[in-house]
Amino acid sequence: MNESADKKKYLDSLFHSFGQQYISSDPIQLVKRFDNPEDQEIAAILISALAFGQVSQILKAGNMVLSLMENRPTEYVMNLDPSAALRHWKKFYYRMVKHSDMLRLLWVLKSIKYECGSIGRWVLGNYRKTDIHLGITWARCVEQMKISDRKLWKWPRSRGIGFNHLLPDPSKNSACKRAFLLLRWMVRKDEVDLGIWEGLPTAKLLIPVDTHIQRLAFNIGLTNRRDLSAKTAMEITTELKKFDSNDPVKYDFALCRLGILKMCPKKRNLFKCKTCPIFEICRL
Ligand code: SF4
């Protein structure tokens, strides 16, 4: 068996081993709390925007946001009154993100829903067949959201970078993990991902690169890069396309579990590594 076929065999096996039963270790669990796709897409945008830091902290912040929205995301957004909400949300903050940053995002989502009916339809309207990856599509969406915010938000704004931080922009050079995570959740469909933004091609997703994915991808030779940049995301995705050209990002959830669940140590460790499902293709 050649090296590439070997990698595919082990990665496919890893993909099949880490499914639905592992979502309790992932923020997507908060999105899957809802059955209605309209609630799911709003929850997904908010939870992915907060998906920085440790999973336990993300879950805490995400739970607080959803409970401030009375666990009815669509209804809450459509009836949002910023003057009342600013008082109600006063105690919310998550690292650099303040209550008014979250409410500005909700206000923008409300305007999109009024105009397009669903956020998925709006994203699809921003997709061009010439987009070589969906990061380009999402960059258009981010630009429009920032323009809407400047035009429509009439209430006080918190100081700092909180609002911009909620909307990572793939047109910059960073890996934009949270944007690509949102797209993975919404565009792929299987027992983990929701696939409710129909019409967008899974082949054009980019892998959400965080420290776990960068390290695992390095270990198995999908990249030699050590940084969390757009280039690293593209390089890893290009390699994964050799194993599934239509759905390269399907390996993300399983690979990431090895890091999140501390199954892969930072340095090769014979005790842990001998039970690793991708031991045979690890080059450390
Ligand atoms: S063999 Fe060890 S270092 Fe390599 S991916 Fe598996 S756990 Fe990580």
Side-chain angles (χ1 to χ4, degrees):
M1 202 180 275
N2 66 32
E3 196 194 337
S4 180
D6 224 19
K7 269 189 197 164
K8 176 170 169 51
K9 184 182 97 177
Y10 284 100
L11 282 173
D12 281 345
S13 163
L14 185 76
F15 166 70
H16 291 296
S17 307
F18 288 89
Q20 167 84 12
Q21 71 274 30
Y22 285 91
I23 67 162
S24 61
S25 62
D26 197 272
I28 199 174
Q29 66 182 279
L30 297 181
V31 182
K32 296 187 103 172
R33 177 187 289 177
F34 304 100
D35 296 323
N36 177 342
E38 284 191 74
D39 287 331
Q40 289 173 336
E41 62 181 5
I42 291 175
I45 288 177
L46 303 178
I47 303 305
S48 65
L50 293 170
F52 54 97
Q54 291 182 344
V55 174
S56 57
Q57 297 302 311
I58 298 167
L59 293 176
K60 201 169 157 195
N63 264 315
M64 194 188 286
V65 164
L66 294 175
S67 91
L68 282 162
M69 298 171 79
E70 294 152 20
N71 281 301
R72 288 179 295 182
T74 308
E75 204 181 316
Y76 189 85
V77 165
M78 297 317 280
N79 295 315
L80 183 62
D81 166 7
S83 306
L86 277 164
R87 286 192 298 276
H88 187 56
W89 283 60
K90 213 160 191 165
K91 287 195 177 140
F92 174 83
Y93 72 95
Y94 178 54
R95 300 190 39 186
M96 72 286 278
V97 177
K98 313 274 179 6
H99 68 301
S100 67
D101 301 321
M102 287 306 292
L103 289 169
R104 283 163 66 186
L105 179 56
L106 295 183
W107 197 237
V108 169
L109 295 180
K110 179 174 179 172
S111 74
I112 294 169
K113 283 191 65 68
Y114 260 112
E115 238 172 79
C116 303
S118 91
I119 296 167
R121 198 171 306 142
W122 168 70
V123 177
L124 185 61
N126 275 297
Y127 171 63
R128 309 281 175 269
K129 281 200 173 132
T130 48
D131 291 350
I132 51 172
H133 57 73
L134 293 181
I136 296 171
T137 315
W138 187 250
R140 249 176 237 124
C141 296
V142 167
E143 194 188 349
Q144 287 176 22
M145 285 195 267
K146 288 183 177 172
I147 291 171
S148 293
D149 169 68
R150 284 197 290 275
K151 270 206 295 209
L152 303 175
W153 182 260
K154 313 281 185 216
W155 296 268
R157 294 163 193 258
S158 309
R159 284 194 187 173
I161 58 164
F163 180 74
N164 282 338
H165 191 73
L166 288 172
L167 293 173
D169 183 351
S171 67
K172 314 282 185 239
N173 191 34
S174 75
C176 274
K177 172 215 147 182
R178 291 170 290 139
F180 298 148
L181 187 64
L182 169 69
L183 290 166
R184 196 203 87 203
W185 289 350
M186 296 290 102
V187 176
R188 288 198 69 254
K189 187 173 179 64
D190 63 6
E191 61 185 53
V192 173
D193 294 323
L194 295 146
I196 55 173
W197 287 356
E198 292 172 358
L200 297 167
T202 53
K204 291 189 179 180
L205 288 167
L206 288 178
I207 192 157
V209 175
D210 59 7
T211 53
H212 302 305
I213 286 295
Q214 183 281 324
R215 186 159 51 88
L216 267 300
F218 181 89
N219 290 1
I220 59 173
L222 300 178
T223 185
N224 286 323
R225 300 180 67 88
R226 293 287 199 178
D227 57 358
L228 306 182
S229 66
K231 272 190 182 166
T232 305
M234 281 191 244
E235 200 170 290
I236 297 171
T237 307
T238 301
E239 283 301 299
L240 291 174
K241 279 189 178 175
K242 293 178 184 167
F243 315 129
D244 192 332
S245 57
N246 275 324
D247 192 9
V249 171
K250 75 179 191 189
Y251 302 105
D252 174 56
F253 182 80
L255 270 175
C256 207
R257 289 319 96 188
L258 298 182
I260 286 180
L261 299 172
K262 300 194 179 355
M263 293 165 78
C264 175
K266 289 206 171 110
K267 284 189 182 154
R268 197 172 165 103
N269 162 331
L270 265 189
F271 181 71
K272 281 199 169 175
C273 291
K274 71 182 176 194
T275 58
C276 171
I278 52 172
F279 176 82
E280 302 292 340
I281 56 170
C282 180
R283 61 181 180 167
L284 278 203

